[in-house]
Amino acid sequence: MSAYENQRVTDQRPRYDCLLFDLDDTLYPLSSGLAAACTSNIADYVNQKLGVERSRVPDLCGELYKTYGTSMAGLRAAGYEFDYDDYHSFVHGRLPYENLKPDPVLRNLLLSLPQRKIIFTNGDKVHAAKVLKKLGLEDCFEGIICFETLNSPLQITGNNTDRDMPTDTDNSTIPKAPVICKPSKDAIEQALRLANTDPQRTIFFDDSPRNIAAGKGAALCTVLVGTSVRTKGADFALESIHNIREALPEIWEEEEESSNNVVHSRGEAATIETVVTA
């Protein structure tokens, strides 16, 4: 292929070729009640399994979540010892998944998107698979980046004491977390590596303003879901995930334009080598 043809391929390919989607409260609404049930289950776990006095639990979990991104990461950083699978089984195993219903509108919307689509969640793989199945979306994504893949021994590099902290936290006065999760820089970089994608060609959808700010810090195009009000680092804000086409019509239009007049070349499709599939 000539240099001119190579340039035409580069110029005419779509601006974005990968979409990273958070799971909980992003692909389904907060009103489903899963978030409230999860908060209650975490409180029960901390009280019943870790022996923390019930009256102390709300303030403790709230502060750890604010500092570390998830209660689990904060509890481990604070020195509590527990089995991760046991924690996830207790916290997620009792969620009211029956509140989630198949979403054919979202399914058709996702399947019409020409880009690679990947789940990026702090949750565990069993929880992610259950949610996607309940929503009828289990075959809409190339893979799932979750707790197990972010914290796989094969993926973690360096010592636990070197773990990055959320960017809005004073790192000098608090212990580091041995768990990798959003919104840490480590988690974002790990996800991009697992997805084998260029951050400048990737759109990141999440309901958490902190996660969105972290994604923008990693040069991702960011979409805050669940509100129409943009927060720091959000390029777009959607009241509902169903509003993607109205807010971002270009991710369909670019594909249509590029497919009309592109010079094709041979190449290997990117794959996610270690991502858990639902």
Side-chain angles (χ1 to χ4, degrees), residues 97-107 131-138 242:
Y97 290 107
E98 65 274 10
N99 292 357
L100 300 178
K101 307 301 180 184
D103 190 341
V105 173
L106 179 56
R107 175 181 172 79
V131 169
L132 291 176
K133 185 174 182 179
K134 284 291 186 179
L135 295 174
L137 307 177
E138 61 266 47
H242 295 91

Side-chain angles (χ1 to χ4, degrees), residues 38 41-42 45 70 72-73 82-95 97 121-127 130 146-148 151 179:
C38 189
N41 291 347
I42 291 172
Y45 186 90
T70 68
M72 171 191 270
F82 52 89
D83 179 78
Y84 294 145
D85 289 340
D86 180 64
Y87 178 93
H88 284 134
S89 176
F90 189 101
V91 171
H92 290 153
R94 303 185 300 168
L95 291 179
Y97 290 107
T121 176
N122 284 336
D124 62 288
K125 61 184 179 182
V126 172
H127 170 68
K130 284 183 178 179
C146 58
F147 173 82
E148 287 86 351
N151 292 278
V179 173

Side-chain angles (χ1 to χ4, degrees), residues 2-274:
S2 70
Y4 170 71
E5 289 175 328
N6 273 320
Q7 185 61 46
R8 285 184 63 194
V9 171
T10 300
D11 291 345
Q12 295 176 6
R13 68 178 180 173
R15 180 179 178 185
Y16 300 109
D17 51 28
C18 184
L19 310 177
L20 294 179
F21 288 88
D22 175 48
L23 181 71
D24 297 303
D25 303 326
T26 296
L27 295 187
Y28 61 85
L30 181 64
S31 59
S32 68
L34 264 69
C38 189
T39 298
S40 177
N41 291 347
I42 291 172
D44 288 345
Y45 186 90
V46 173
N47 171 243
Q48 298 172 22
K49 298 275 192 168
L50 303 183
V52 177
E53 186 178 340
R54 174 66 71 173
S55 61
R56 291 187 54 233
V57 170
D59 288 343
L60 173 65
C61 289
E63 187 60 31
L64 293 177
Y65 178 85
K66 177 181 177 182
T67 303
Y68 292 94
T70 68
S71 296
M72 171 191 270
L75 288 167
R76 288 289 288 111
Y80 291 96
E81 296 289 341
F82 52 89
D83 179 78
Y84 294 145
D85 289 340
D86 180 64
Y87 178 93
H88 284 134
S89 176
F90 189 101
V91 171
H92 290 153
R94 303 185 300 168
L95 291 179
Y97 290 107
E98 65 274 10
N99 292 357
L100 300 178
K101 307 301 180 184
D103 190 341
V105 173
L106 179 56
R107 175 181 172 79
N108 290 335
L109 190 63
L110 290 170
L111 292 177
S112 72
L113 286 162
Q115 294 81 7
R116 300 168 58 218
K117 294 170 286 292
I118 300 167
I119 293 293
F120 176 23
T121 176
N122 284 336
D124 62 288
K125 61 184 179 182
V126 172
H127 170 68
K130 284 183 178 179
V131 169
L132 291 176
K133 185 174 182 179
K134 284 291 186 179
L135 295 174
L137 307 177
E138 61 266 47
D139 59 345
C140 293
F141 297 92
E142 178 180 312
I144 302 172
I145 297 172
C146 58
F147 173 82
E148 287 86 351
T149 46
L150 289 173
N151 292 278
S152 164
L154 295 177
Q155 298 301 329
I156 298 175
T157 58
N159 187 280
N160 282 346
T161 58
D162 296 327
R163 290 283 170 265
D164 173 70
M165 294 297 300
T167 55
D168 58 351
T169 304
D170 179 5
N171 297 355
S172 63
T173 60
I174 58 177
K176 306 296 183 182
V179 173
I180 294 179
C181 63
K182 294 179 289 183
S184 75
K185 180 181 177 182
D186 283 337
I188 303 294
E189 292 180 346
Q190 193 109 277
L192 291 171
R193 183 166 63 253
L194 286 165
N196 191 23
T197 186
D198 179 349
Q200 296 185 345
R201 296 179 55 76
T202 302
I203 303 178
F204 175 44
F205 299 82
D206 203 294
D207 67 292
S208 165
R210 293 179 70 197
N211 295 347
I212 286 295
K216 177 49 64 178
L220 292 161
C221 175
T222 55
V223 182
L224 180 64
V225 180
T227 176
S228 58
V229 180
R230 289 169 55 194
T231 58
K232 180 181 178 181
D235 295 308
F236 302 91
L238 307 180
E239 191 72 39
S240 165
I241 194 68
H242 295 91
N243 302 136
I244 299 176
R245 187 181 288 275
E246 290 82 2
L248 294 161
E250 61 269 23
I251 60 181
W252 281 272
E253 294 168 358
E254 286 180 349
E255 177 69 13
E256 292 171 358
E257 292 173 3
S258 66
S259 63
N260 288 336
N261 195 23
V262 75
V263 178
H264 296 283
S265 62
R266 294 181 179 177
E268 296 182 358
T271 59
I272 306 177
E273 296 180 355
T274 57

